[in-house]
Amino acid sequence: MKTNSRFIIYLLLVLLIGCEKDKGYYNQTVETIRFDGSIIEYLESKPGVFDSLLRVLERTQMNAALGSEEVFTLFAPTNPNFQLAIENLNNTRREADRPFEYLSSVDLNHLDTMMAQYIIPGAYPSDSMTTKDGLPLYDFKYDRRMNAKLTSASASGFTQGGPKVIEYSDTKNSQFVRDWITATTASINIEADNGIIHVLSASHVFGFNDFVSRFTYIPPPPNLFVTVGGTFSVSRENSGGDNAVEASKYVFDGNPETKFLLGDFGSEWMQVELTQPATANAYTLTSANDAPDRDPKDWTLQASHDGEEWITLDSKSGEEFTARFQQRVFWINNTTAYRFYRLNIQGLRNGNTFQLADWSVNRGVNP
C-alpha cells in the first residue's frame, strides 16, 4: 500500500513538472547565432546555399549596401527559392514557344524590384515580431509594405508545438491578410556585424508569385482614351458627386491608385464617345486597391456608331482578378471603327458594392 502511494505521488509530480515545463509541448527558446562579418560575408561563407542570391545582389548592385556599415535585415532566399521561380517561368515560356530566361538575363528592373522586398533597413530580430498582427516593415528601396510575424510551426501532432518561425509576407498593399503572399523561415536570428539574417524555407518561390507574371506580361496596346480622346459618362455617379474621392472620372484616368466606387449595385455601365471613330481590338480592366468582393466578374463590351444602336464585341462571365492593381488585357476580333464604346457591368464577385480602378479601350495587333 505504501509503495502504491509513493508511485502515485511520483507520477503526479512527473505530470505537474511536464505540464509546467512545456504546457503540452516543448517551449523552444529562440537563440541568436553570431557571425563575425558583414551580411554579404555571411552569404559568401555558405557555398551551395546562397549562390543565386549573391548573383542577383551583384546584378542589382545591392551587394554594396549589404557589405557596408549600414544596418539591414535580410530575409535571405536560398538557391531552391530561385530555382522554383526560374522553373515556373520557363515552363510558362515553353508553352508559349518562347526562349528560356535565366537570372543572368531577365529584365533588371523587374529583378531589382523583387529583390528589394527581401531587404529591410534596420535590425529586426524575431523578438520584435511577436505582436498579434505582426510587425509592418518597408523595403529599403521602394518602400513596399511587408509584414513579419513570429509564430510556431506545428509538430508531433501539436498545433504550434514546433520550432519558432517567422511568417514574412508581401502584403500586396492590401489590409486583408487573405490577399497576402507569405513565406516562412528555415532559420532565424543570424546576427552579422551590420544586421540580421533570417533564411527562408526551401518551398518559397522568389518574387512572392510575381516572378512569372512580371516576365511574361505583355503590355496593352495604345489607349484610345489617350491617343484619340473623348467624352466619358456612366449610368450612375458616385453618391458623393462627380468630384468625390471615388467618382467615376477616376475609372478613365489611367491611374491604378484611384478608383470608381458605387454602392447598391444593380447593373451599371461606363461609356466613352471618342472625338472620332477608331478601331478597338483590345480593352483593359484594372482591379482596385482593396476588397476583392467588389471586383466585376460578369460584363459585356459594346460598340456603336451613334450611341443608339449597339453591337456586342465581347462578353465575359465568372472572371476573377487574382491580385490588387491587376491590369488584365482582353483581345477582341474587331476591324470596325466605332465612335462609342460601352462597358456593361452585370455581376460582382460578391455583395452589392462595385469598384474598378481603370477601364480602357485599345488599338493594336493581337499577339
Side-chain angles (χ1 to χ4, degrees):
M1 189 70 176
K2 185 178 294 185
T3 301
N4 287 341
S5 298
R6 287 177 179 173
F7 176 76
I8 292 171
I9 292 170
Y10 172 76
L11 182 61
L12 288 172
L13 285 171
V14 169
L15 289 172
L16 286 171
I17 292 169
C19 291
E20 180 63 27
K21 180 182 73 173
D22 57 18
K23 296 183 173 62
Y25 58 87
Y26 178 62
N27 189 9
Q28 183 201 40
T29 300
V30 180
E31 296 181 357
T32 297
I33 300 171
R34 176 69 187 143
F35 175 78
D36 187 16
S38 68
I39 292 175
I40 279 291
E41 289 171 329
Y42 174 78
L43 301 178
E44 292 171 341
S45 73
K46 302 294 181 181
V49 179
F50 299 113
D51 309 81
S52 296
L53 174 58
L54 287 165
R55 189 176 303 121
V56 171
L57 290 171
E58 183 177 3
R59 274 201 73 193
T60 58
Q61 298 183 1
M62 297 183 196
N63 54 345
L66 296 181
S68 71
E69 294 183 359
E70 291 185 74
V71 176
F72 294 98
T73 296
L74 172 66
F75 290 87
T78 60
N79 290 346
N81 303 145
F82 290 98
Q83 183 179 355
L84 286 170
I86 288 292
E87 286 180 354
N88 291 344
L89 173 63
N90 286 331
N91 286 338
T92 301
R93 295 180 70 86
R94 182 187 295 111
E95 293 177 2
D97 197 26
R98 301 175 72 182
F100 283 6
E101 290 273 19
Y102 302 95
L103 291 177
S104 59
S105 62
V106 293
D107 182 270
L108 182 57
N109 290 326
H110 287 312
L111 193 63
D112 183 89
T113 300
M114 289 184 287
M115 186 63 246
Q117 292 178 272
Y118 297 89
I119 305 174
I120 306 297
Y124 294 96
S126 62
D127 60 10
S128 66
M129 308 168 185
T130 57
T131 60
K132 179 181 178 182
D133 296 325
L135 178 69
L137 300 170
Y138 295 86
D139 84 56
F140 88 113
K141 199 167 185 180
Y142 301 105
D143 249 7
R144 187 159 187 175
R145 186 162 65 89
M146 311 297 287
N147 187 277
K149 180 180 179 180
L150 185 67
T151 185
S152 297
S154 299
S156 303
F158 290 102
T159 301
Q160 295 186 328
K164 297 290 185 182
V165 297
I166 297 170
E167 294 179 346
Y168 186 58
S169 302
D170 176 3
T171 68
K172 303 297 181 182
N173 291 319
S174 173
Q175 62 180 316
F176 300 103
V177 176
R178 67 189 179 208
D179 297 330
W180 297 4
I181 306 298
T182 299
T184 56
T185 53
S187 58
I188 60 177
N189 290 351
I190 301 165
E191 183 183 297
D193 291 346
N194 63 336
I196 303 291
I197 304 152
H198 305 297
V199 181
L200 297 179
S201 65
S203 61
H204 171 62
V205 180
F206 175 78
F208 291 94
N209 289 9
D210 285 345
F211 195 84
V212 173
S213 61
R214 281 181 176 273
F215 297 122
T216 57
Y217 173 70
I218 300 174
N223 182 349
L224 294 177
F225 296 175
V226 176
T227 59
V228 177
T231 303
F232 307 103
S233 57
V234 293
S235 56
R236 183 165 60 94
E237 184 54 86
N238 179 280
S239 60
D242 56 8
N243 285 316
V245 174
E246 296 169 331
S248 65
K249 62 183 178 182
Y250 294 115
V251 81
F252 307 109
D253 68 353
N255 179 3
E257 301 287 339
T258 61
K259 69 182 180 183
F260 175 36
L261 184 140
L262 279 178
D264 299 321
F265 174 84
S267 180
E268 311 291 345
W269 55 258
M270 53 199 73
Q271 175 181 304
V272 60
E273 179 184 356
L274 297 173
T275 56
Q276 62 186 48
T279 303
N281 45 27
Y283 66 101
T284 73
L285 274 69
T286 304
S287 60
N289 63 319
D290 61 7
D293 285 346
R294 300 173 181 174
D295 291 343
K297 68 180 181 69
D298 307 324
W299 63 79
T300 58
L301 179 72
Q302 295 182 308
S304 174
H305 294 294
D306 57 8
E308 298 293 335
E309 299 291 330
W310 296 89
I311 181 172
T312 298
L313 299 179
D314 194 35
S315 180
K316 298 295 183 187
S317 177
E319 294 292 326
E320 182 176 352
F321 292 85
T322 57
R324 301 300 86 204
F325 308 106
Q326 180 186 14
Q327 183 187 67
R328 299 184 61 193
V329 182
F330 302 91
W331 295 91
I332 53 179
N333 184 18
N334 174 50
T335 57
T336 304
Y338 293 99
R339 192 178 187 95
F340 295 84
Y341 290 92
R342 175 181 286 186
L343 183 70
N344 300 286
I345 306 296
Q346 296 153 333
L348 306 179
R349 188 165 171 180
N350 195 24
N352 64 348
T353 300
F354 160 75
Q355 69 179 17
L356 189 65
D358 277 305
W359 167 56
S360 69
V361 291
N362 307 69
R363 177 165 53 202
V365 178
N366 194 333

